[in-house]
Amino acid sequence: QVQLVESGGGLVQPGGSLRLSCAASGFTFSDYAMSWYRQPPGKERELVATIASRGGSTNYADSVKGRFTISRDNPKNTVYLQMSSLKPEDTAVYYCSFRRTFSKQDYWGQGTQVTVSS
């Protein structure tokens, strides 16, 4: 069964950094592009970053470009989100996700809370 487990969230001050991890299992990780989404309090979930299955191509939301870096380690079945220069508006629950190619079904982890506050 598919399992996505995020970790690494916490409380950081504005300008700080944090690295999130997502451990994947139950599917062929290296076959799928992976994404990070976030859901700020009271807002809809939004796409933050996506990385291709082999890690050669990435995309970022404009709001995080230059500050966040998505990466993956396929042998470890793990995708990362390195977050730097954090802002209060980055406060959200962060989720990793992938989409089944044919069924188009999305899978989500449980999320990890990131709070940016002084």
Side-chain angles (χ1 to χ4, degrees):
Q1 56 188 8
V2 170
Q3 189 170 24
L4 300 170
V5 181
E6 301 94 338
S7 62
L11 174 64
V12 296
Q13 294 186 332
S17 298
L18 209 58
R19 189 181 78 159
L20 307 183
S21 298
C22 173
S25 61
F27 65 103
T28 306
F29 180 76
S30 60
D31 283 350
Y32 293 91
M34 298 295 297
S35 295
W36 284 96
Y37 286 75
R38 67 185 181 187
Q39 186 167 26
K43 296 184 178 180
E44 296 294 314
R45 185 150 42 188
E46 64 181 349
L47 178 63
V48 175
T50 299
I51 186 167
S53 60
R54 306 303 297 178
S57 179
T58 58
N59 277 278
Y60 299 92
D62 287 343
S63 59
V64 308
K65 283 181 180 176
R67 300 188 298 120
F68 290 13
T69 301
I70 188 171
S71 62
R72 66 192 296 159
D73 188 337
N74 282 348
K76 293 183 178 179
N77 284 7
T78 302
V79 61
Y80 305 95
L81 186 67
Q82 177 66 52
M83 306 183 295
S84 300
S85 301
L86 284 162
K87 305 174 181 179
E89 49 263 47
D90 294 320
T91 295
V93 178
Y94 284 72
Y95 302 88
C96 64
S97 175
F98 79 99
R99 175 172 290 180
R100 288 287 194 189
T101 303
F102 301 111
S103 70
K104 304 297 178 68
Q105 181 174 354
D106 290 332
Y107 292 85
W108 306 89
Q110 293 176 312
T112 185
Q113 176 71 49
V114 173
T115 302
V116 184
S117 176
S118 59

